[in-house]
Amino acid sequence: YAMLLSLVFLIVLVAAVVGFVFRHEIKANFETNLNLALRNYNATVDQHSDAVDTIQRTLHCCGVQNYTDWEKTEYFAQRGIPQSCCKSQDCPEGDLKDLSKAKAKVFVDGCFFLVTSTMESKMSIVAGISFGIACFQLIGIFLACCLSRHITNNQYEMV
């Protein structure tokens, strides 16, 4: 049991170190995928499009760096900026096709910075919970070793 707990502890430790070391690559990969999701955005039922809409509605942002990122997409040529970028529920489609009019009606901040800053602000909470779980695992390893030693020492005791 102690060996199993030690293995789980080492896996979690390696995952944490790898996540910390490659955090910049994770950010770059996220930005690339967010740009790809914007380019392939459509209003039909699509996981990536739903994810973009959810991020934009929840964080009150629009595009990757800012709302003008939508200008480079096929969706913008057809329908303009998506409704999920609107500050209010009533955004006319004509206003969403014109970037100068849309600036007053949509969120102007980009989603990439808001998502990464939100993740970084929550990282201390995740690290604290992980540290607490690691401490419990170390206590479990110690107690399992003590129990094993006690059983081994008392195996040949005369009754």
Side-chain angles (χ1 to χ4, degrees):
Y1 182 68
M3 294 298 284
L4 179 66
L5 279 179
S6 298
L7 180 66
V8 171
F9 177 76
L10 287 175
I11 290 171
V12 170
L13 183 67
V14 167
V17 169
V18 167
F20 180 74
V21 170
F22 293 110
R23 68 185 181 278
H24 299 295
E25 286 82 2
I26 293 170
K27 279 184 181 180
N29 194 10
F30 174 71
E31 185 176 18
T32 302
N33 286 329
L34 191 57
N35 276 317
L36 183 64
L38 252 64
R39 272 198 312 260
N40 297 331
Y41 182 87
N42 57 33
T44 61
V45 180
D46 177 19
Q47 287 179 329
H48 300 291
S49 299
D50 288 341
V52 169
D53 286 336
T54 302
I55 289 172
Q56 291 181 153
R57 277 192 203 101
T58 306
L59 295 178
H60 302 286
C61 60
C62 189
V64 178
Q65 300 300 328
N66 58 36
Y67 74 103
T68 59
D69 292 337
W70 283 103
E71 188 178 23
K72 304 168 200 151
T73 65
E74 290 180 29
Y75 184 85
F76 182 82
Q78 297 168 358
R79 295 187 175 166
I81 297 173
Q83 290 288 330
S84 60
C85 284
C86 289
K87 293 178 183 177
S88 64
Q89 297 296 334
D90 56 341
C91 285
E93 193 172 309
D95 289 350
L96 294 177
K97 287 184 176 182
D98 183 10
L99 286 179
S100 59
K101 291 180 183 176
K103 185 175 184 175
K105 305 231 179 210
V106 299
F107 303 113
V108 292
D109 296 328
C111 294
F112 176 71
F113 176 73
L114 289 173
V115 169
T116 55
S117 63
T118 301
M119 285 174 29
E120 287 173 357
S121 69
K122 305 295 184 204
M123 207 50 80
S124 61
I125 296 169
V126 171
I129 291 171
S130 299
F131 181 72
I133 291 171
C135 287
F136 278 115
Q137 283 181 324
L138 289 174
I139 291 169
I141 292 168
F142 175 74
L143 292 176
C145 289
C146 288
L147 180 63
S148 174
R149 185 177 182 140
H150 181 71
I151 290 171
T152 305
N153 286 346
N154 292 334
Q155 185 174 9
Y156 301 107
E157 186 176 304
M158 296 299 242
V159 182

